[in-house]
């Protein structure tokens, strides 16, 4: 059973298009995230949601819009794609254990986006 | 200055060698520290937490030096399966639950 699953795994598209990446976790976690890993392998947080509420929204162009229909899902929609959006996008989730956040994120396998 | 800095490597070591990685962080208010491991074209996974008192998990030992703002990871008796990128991770504010990742140090263990 895949704990955090993302679709699609690969996405090749033209500049200017709009695309979405979906993420689902079956771990029962309260917090979900989107991270971007660029060509230099730098992983940077984009958004996080806790129980469907947005708690982190880093400096990300407003072409990127997350949506959390329920606490098990966090989707990412990107409008007007640009060349610089090419990256691997990782979804992740986390949970408190005994009232403490452990810092362990469970990542999906990543969605590799290539903008031509 | 980057928030978390690591030597990108690669570190090429023979099987059985001991290898150490360091990482420095810029914000002295950082609260929590971790090492994550990322295999090639895979997702990152938690390797271990890092405590001021140091902690050990089998062949892996992590240390935190708050005064100098650096974190280390020591791998003893390297195995081929240890080949991966090791990501140093810092949390500034556990309330925000946002991990700040270093760009990683690549380790290649050779037969």
């Amino acid at each position: 059973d895949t704990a955090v699953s993302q679709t699609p795994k690969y996405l090749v598209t033209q500049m200017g298009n709009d695309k979405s990446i979906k993420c689902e976790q079956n771990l029962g976690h309260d917090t979900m995230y989107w991270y971007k890993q660029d060509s230099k392998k730098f992983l940077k947080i984009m958004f996080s949601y806790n129980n469907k509420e947005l708690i982190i929204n880093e400096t990300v162009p407003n072409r990127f819009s997350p949506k959390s229909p329920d606490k098990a899902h966090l989707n990412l929609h990107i409008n007007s794609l640009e060349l610089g959006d090419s990256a691997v996008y990782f979804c992740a989730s986390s949970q408190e254990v005994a009232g403490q956040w452990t810092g362990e994120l469970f990542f999906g396998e990543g969605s590799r986006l290539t903008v031509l | 200055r980057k928030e978390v800095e690591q030597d990108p490597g690669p570190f090429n070591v023979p099987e059985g060698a001991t290898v150490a990685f360091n990482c420095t962080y810029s914000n002295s208010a950082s609260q929590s520290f971790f090492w994550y491991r990322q295999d090639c074209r895979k997702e990152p996974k938690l390797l271990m937490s890092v405590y001021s008192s140091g902690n050990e998990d089998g062949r892996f030992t992590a240390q935190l030096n708050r005064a100098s703002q650096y974190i280390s990871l020591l791998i003893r008796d390297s195995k081929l399966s240890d080949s991966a990128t090791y990501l140093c991770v810092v949390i500034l504010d556990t309330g925000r639950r946002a991990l700040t990742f270093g760009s990683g140090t690549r380790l290649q263990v050779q037969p």
Side-chain angles (χ1 to χ4, degrees), chain A residues 89-101:
Chain A
Y89 293 84
F90 284 101
C91 177
S93 70
S94 72
Q95 182 70 314
E96 286 185 356
V97 175
Q100 289 237 324
W101 185 61

Side-chain angles (χ1 to χ4, degrees), chain A residues 10-104:
Chain A
Y10 299 96
L11 192 50
V12 181
T13 189
Q14 300 284 337
M15 268 174 52
N17 285 350
D18 303 338
K19 290 293 175 187
S20 292
I21 308 171
K22 294 186 176 182
C23 179
E24 175 182 4
Q25 54 96 3
N26 63 6
L27 297 165
H29 288 173
D30 287 334
T31 310
M32 293 186 73
Y33 310 79
W34 278 109
Y35 275 83
K36 176 181 178 180
Q37 189 167 42
D38 61 25
S39 56
K40 293 183 177 150
K41 307 299 181 192
F42 205 48
L43 257 172
K44 196 161 184 187
I45 189 164
M46 301 173 71
F47 303 103
S48 75
Y49 272 73
N50 191 51
N51 283 316
K52 301 197 307 173
E53 298 293 325
L54 180 67
I55 55 172
I56 293 175
N57 182 351
E58 292 296 292
T59 311
V60 175
N62 57 14
R63 298 183 294 104
F64 290 80
S65 50
K67 190 168 256 188
S68 182
D70 55 64
K71 75 173 199 177
H73 295 85
L74 180 61
N75 303 323
L76 183 65
H77 187 76
I78 316 169
N79 287 328
S80 303
L81 278 156
E82 299 178 358
L83 293 176
D85 297 333
S86 296
V88 181
Y89 293 84
F90 284 101
C91 177
S93 70
S94 72
Q95 182 70 314
E96 286 185 356
V97 175
Q100 289 237 324
W101 185 61
T102 63
E104 181 169 14

Side-chain angles (χ1 to χ4, degrees), chain A residues 31 56 58 96 103 105 108, chain B residues 36 38 43 91 96-97 99:
Chain A
T31 310
I56 293 175
E58 292 296 292
E96 286 185 356
L105 264 57
Chain B
Y36 274 67
Q38 186 172 23
E43 71 274 21
I91 297 176
R96 294 184 76 231
R97 302 188 181 186
L99 273 60

